[in-house]
């Protein structure tokens, strides 16, 4: 890999010669700007705004515009004379746990390679020290015409450098999150937890840039003289469109799909309005009340209301002749069960009534005996 910068790592009194190489690469599809009439390339020329003539590279310098509108020229010699100790040095400032550095502060990623045989021993020393401590190193370095913070860590068997933004370059997060208070129900959180557990671990090998693949396919098809149908392009575009949905329904459906229970076809889930939510709540209350009333009514009236439901069942049986015999058998069974239950209830009532009558007669006999035992008054 081609190095983009050479210098040394300053680790106390230890100096480690290194080469900095890019750790990432961009696979985006590149385009040229062309004239659509004749496909000629569009070129940009650096032209001086005063004489409107193209300026060669060696005559282009750096200029800083002051608040008064005056331009201050800075030459290469001026830039080289700056008292910058990190011009060719990665100066380690300290070591901290990796958790103390928020990922939002990370910028670009590079690999640090040992530059020469004499750098192997101190390079491995720093790598093993970082491994054993479980920490990362925070450093300063001058790269790409500016001084930056950097984080050094162990990546596999190499040292990696991540340039960092300065603390004052991180913008405030105020105004980003919803300003109004939003309540989330426990049921929604439970479904979200279930979905997270169902999705499981991420297989990094399956990740790919589907947009780039589709773009390359389109370019290849047009180069071969075949173009995708407009309906196919529209279908792909609509497949990635966003929808306003009911959160609970989407969570439930996501859990089902993650578990492999994806049904054929795509169901459109619409967000419920407040009016429909209120109507649904009243209907649910009515159903709940009806069920409770039906249960209390059945408990209070005994077997008679159950017997009153038989005509409705007979009517249902008449509507489906194929199930008539089965319905009659079930009705006969139900009638026998009801008669048996009614007989038992009648027997219990009769026994209760007999016991009550005998108790009343015994009480009346005792009252009569008491009255006859009292002395009568004589005139």
């Amino acid at each position: 890999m081609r190095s983009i910068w050479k210098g040394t790592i300053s680790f106390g009194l230890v100096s480690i010669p290194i080469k900095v190489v890019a750790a990432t690469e961009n696979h985006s599809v590149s385009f040229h700007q062309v004239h659509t009439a004749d496909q000629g390339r569009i070129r940009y020329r650096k032209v001086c705004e005063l004489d409107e003539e193209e300026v060669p590279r060696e005559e282009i310098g750096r200029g800083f515009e002051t608040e008064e509108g005056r331009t201050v020229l800075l030459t290469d010699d001026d830039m080289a004379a700056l008292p910058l100790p990190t011009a060719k040095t990665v100066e380690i400032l300290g070591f901290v746990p990796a958790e103390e550095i928020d990922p939002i502060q990370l910028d670009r990623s590079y690999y640090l390679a040992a530059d020469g045989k004499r750098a192997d021993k101190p390079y491995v020393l720093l790598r093993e020290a970082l491994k054993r401590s479980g920490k990362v190193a925070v450093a300063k370095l001058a790269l790409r015409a500016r001084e930056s913070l950097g984080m050094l860590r162990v990546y596999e068997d190499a040292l990696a450098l991540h340039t960092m933004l300065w603390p004052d370059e991180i913008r405030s997060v105020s105004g980003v999150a919803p300003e109004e208070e939003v309540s989330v129900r426990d049921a929604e959180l439970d479904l979200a937890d279930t979905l997270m557990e169902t999705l499981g671990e991420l297989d990094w090998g399956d990740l790919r840039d589907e947009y780039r693949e589709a773009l390359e396919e389109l370019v290849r098809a047009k180069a071969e003289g075949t173009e995708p149908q407009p309906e196919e392009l529209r279908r792909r575009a609509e497949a990635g469109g966003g929808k306003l949905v009911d959160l609970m329904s989407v969570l439930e459906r996501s859990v089902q799909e993650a578990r492999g229970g994806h049904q054929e076809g795509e169901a459109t889930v619409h967000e419920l309005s407040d009016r429909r939510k209120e109507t649904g709540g009243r209907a649910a209350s009515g159903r709940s009340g009806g069920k409770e009333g039906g249960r209390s009514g059945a408990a209070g009236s005994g077997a008679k209301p159950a017997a009153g439901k038989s005509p409705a069942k007979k009517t249902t049986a008449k509507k489906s002749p194929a199930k008539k015999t089965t319905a009659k058998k079930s009705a006969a069974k139900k009638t026998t069960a009801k008669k048996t239950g009614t007989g038992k209830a009648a027997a219990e009532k009769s026994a209760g009534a007999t016991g009550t009558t005998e108790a009343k007669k015994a009480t009346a006999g005792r009252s009569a005996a008491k009255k006859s035992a009292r002395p009568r008054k004589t005139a």
Side-chain angles (χ1 to χ4, degrees), residues 7-318:
T8 58
I9 297 177
S10 176
F11 178 32
L13 297 178
V14 179
S15 296
I16 309 172
I18 56 164
K19 296 184 293 185
V20 179
V21 296
T24 60
E25 56 187 4
N26 192 350
H27 290 167
S28 300
V29 179
S30 300
F31 295 100
H32 296 303
Q33 290 186 334
V34 298
H35 186 199
T36 56
D38 54 13
Q39 297 185 359
R41 289 281 301 275
I42 303 298
R43 303 289 183 178
Y44 289 95
R45 292 180 172 86
K46 297 180 180 181
V47 178
C48 177
E49 64 177 6
L50 298 180
D51 54 19
E52 297 184 353
E53 293 183 1
E54 186 175 354
V55 180
R57 181 184 182 89
E58 57 272 11
E59 294 183 9
I60 299 176
R62 300 181 184 89
F64 180 83
E65 186 176 356
T66 63
E67 296 179 355
E68 296 82 10
R70 190 167 58 92
T71 301
V72 179
L73 294 178
L74 296 174
T75 64
D76 293 340
D77 295 336
D78 295 333
M79 301 296 294
L82 287 175
L84 190 62
T86 59
K88 290 292 182 180
T89 305
V90 180
E91 181 184 356
I92 295 179
L93 305 177
F95 299 88
V96 297
E99 295 79 13
E100 290 189 8
I101 300 177
D102 195 285
I104 200 172
Q105 200 170 353
L106 302 180
D107 191 12
R108 295 175 178 267
S109 300
Y110 302 92
Y111 293 143
L112 302 182
D115 189 10
K117 288 293 184 181
R118 64 187 183 92
D120 290 348
K121 183 67 177 289
Y123 184 95
V124 174
L125 172 65
L126 178 59
R127 183 190 67 188
E128 296 303 316
L130 289 174
K131 278 185 180 180
R132 190 166 69 173
S133 66
K135 296 181 178 181
V136 297
V138 177
K140 285 199 308 182
L141 71 154
L143 186 66
R144 297 186 183 275
R146 60 166 294 180
E147 189 175 48
S148 303
L149 287 174
M151 181 186 76
L152 274 71
R153 69 182 181 96
V154 178
Y155 180 77
E156 296 183 359
D157 288 333
L159 292 176
L161 169 67
H162 303 275
T163 56
M164 300 168 56
L165 303 175
W166 295 95
D168 59 356
E169 293 179 321
I170 306 299
R171 301 174 65 181
S172 174
V173 76
S174 61
V176 177
E179 296 180 357
E180 298 180 358
E181 185 178 356
V182 179
S183 60
V184 179
R185 294 179 295 172
D186 291 339
E188 295 170 341
L189 285 174
D190 293 340
L191 276 175
D193 292 340
T194 304
L195 177 59
M196 292 169 62
E197 294 175 358
T198 306
L199 290 176
E201 298 181 356
L202 183 63
D203 188 356
W204 293 95
D206 292 340
L207 301 181
R208 65 185 192 277
D209 188 351
E210 297 181 2
Y211 177 79
R212 178 171 58 87
E213 292 177 356
L215 185 58
E216 291 175 347
E217 180 184 352
L218 175 61
V219 172
R220 185 167 51 252
K222 292 180 73 70
E224 296 173 355
T226 59
E227 298 186 14
Q229 296 296 326
E231 293 78 6
E232 177 68 14
L233 295 176
R234 184 165 52 252
R235 183 187 64 80
R236 292 180 182 179
E238 292 176 352
K243 298 178 181 178
L244 293 177
V245 295
D246 174 38
L247 183 57
M248 282 293 292
S249 301
V250 171
L251 286 172
E252 292 173 353
R253 183 181 170 195
S254 300
V255 171
Q256 292 175 0
E257 291 183 3
R259 288 176 175 172
H262 179 60
Q263 300 176 354
E264 295 184 0
E266 183 178 358
T268 303
V269 185
H270 301 281
E271 186 176 6
L272 296 177
S273 62
D274 295 337
R275 185 174 180 181
R276 290 181 62 185
K277 288 178 181 178
E278 294 176 359
T279 307
R282 289 196 296 268
S285 301
R287 287 194 296 269
S288 176
K291 289 180 181 180
E292 292 177 358
R295 286 194 294 266
S296 60
S301 58
K304 289 182 181 181
K309 293 180 181 178
S310 300
K313 293 183 179 179
K314 288 181 181 178
T315 306
T316 307
K318 288 179 182 179

Side-chain angles (χ1 to χ4, degrees), residues 367-376:
S367 300
K370 287 180 181 181
K371 287 181 180 181
S372 59
R374 291 177 182 173
R376 294 183 179 179

